[in-house]
Structures are given as C-alpha cells and as structure tokens.
Amino acid sequence: MQTTTLSFENFHNHGELFANMMRARRELFIVQNKWNLPEALGMEYDQYDTPASRWVVVHDEFGRVLAGNRLTPTTAKCGIYSYMIRDAQRGILGGSIPQDLLYEEAPVEDSV
C-alpha cells in the first residue's frame, strides 16, 4: 500500500493515478450512493477540484485506489465557491450538504 499526494503540478509524474481516483469517486458517489453529481469519461468531479487543491490517494502498486481525499485551503476561491463545508454552511450548494456541519462559522484563514 502506498500514499501519494497529487497536485496539478505533479499529475504527470503518477500516470493514471489521478484519473483512477476520479473514477473511484464516481463509483462511490454516483454508482453506489446514487448521488446526482457531475461526471465525464467515467469520472466524478466538481467545482472544488482546482489547482489550489491537493488529493491524498492511498493505492496499491498497480494504481488501484483504496482511499482518497481532497484538501483545499480555506482561502481558496473559484468563482462564487470557496470550499465545500463553508459553501454548504453559506447555503450555496442547494441543500445537497447540510448547512449545520459546524457549530461556528467556517474558517477562512491562511493557517487552515
């Protein structure tokens, strides 16, 4: 088992790993959970997959994805969007994620 941190700057060094992670997201969120999310070419993606993000992928030696997550700075912006928990709290995700995920206002800080 291996862990790799991916970014827009290093995708090219890791073959199909990023695409495999996006395929795994589609399998989990769209196929298994039946969520209505964007997809293309067998991959799930959203407005938070930006150059500001990093993806931590746990995979085997053949690039099969076992687990993964996306990390985005709380100061990131892409159009009207910032990061998923804050945007859910602000009510701009159409109710797909509850607004009461946090007890206080979602942070926007360089250190978070």
Side-chain angles (χ1 to χ4, degrees):
M1 186 168 26
Q2 302 172 21
T3 302
T4 302
T5 301
L6 298 172
S7 70
F8 272 53
E9 295 170 325
N10 74 3
F11 289 155
H12 66 281
N13 295 326
H14 299 284
E16 288 283 306
L17 189 57
F18 182 74
N20 289 345
M21 184 200 57
M22 302 301 260
R23 290 180 187 112
R25 281 177 32 175
R26 180 188 175 276
E27 180 64 28
L28 175 64
F29 298 128
I30 295 173
V31 175
Q32 291 180 25
N33 291 347
K34 303 196 183 318
W35 293 358
N36 183 21
L37 298 171
E39 65 175 302
L41 303 172
M43 296 177 259
E44 185 274 329
Y45 64 93
D46 61 35
Q47 64 270 31
Y48 302 105
D49 293 307
T50 72
S53 298
R54 300 295 179 264
W55 299 264
V56 179
V57 185
V58 178
H59 56 95
D60 67 14
E61 62 194 66
F62 306 107
R64 287 186 294 234
V65 174
L66 306 171
N69 67 1
R70 174 183 54 216
L71 304 170
T72 303
T74 61
T75 55
K77 291 182 181 175
C78 183
I80 65 167
Y81 301 103
S82 58
Y83 63 96
M84 192 178 287
I85 291 174
R86 181 169 183 259
D87 291 347
Q89 190 179 62
R90 294 169 51 212
I92 65 172
L93 296 182
S96 57
I97 298 175
Q99 287 183 254
D100 60 353
L101 290 170
L102 301 174
Y103 293 113
E104 52 193 59
E105 188 173 334
V108 177
E109 299 175 22
D110 289 331
S111 62
V112 179

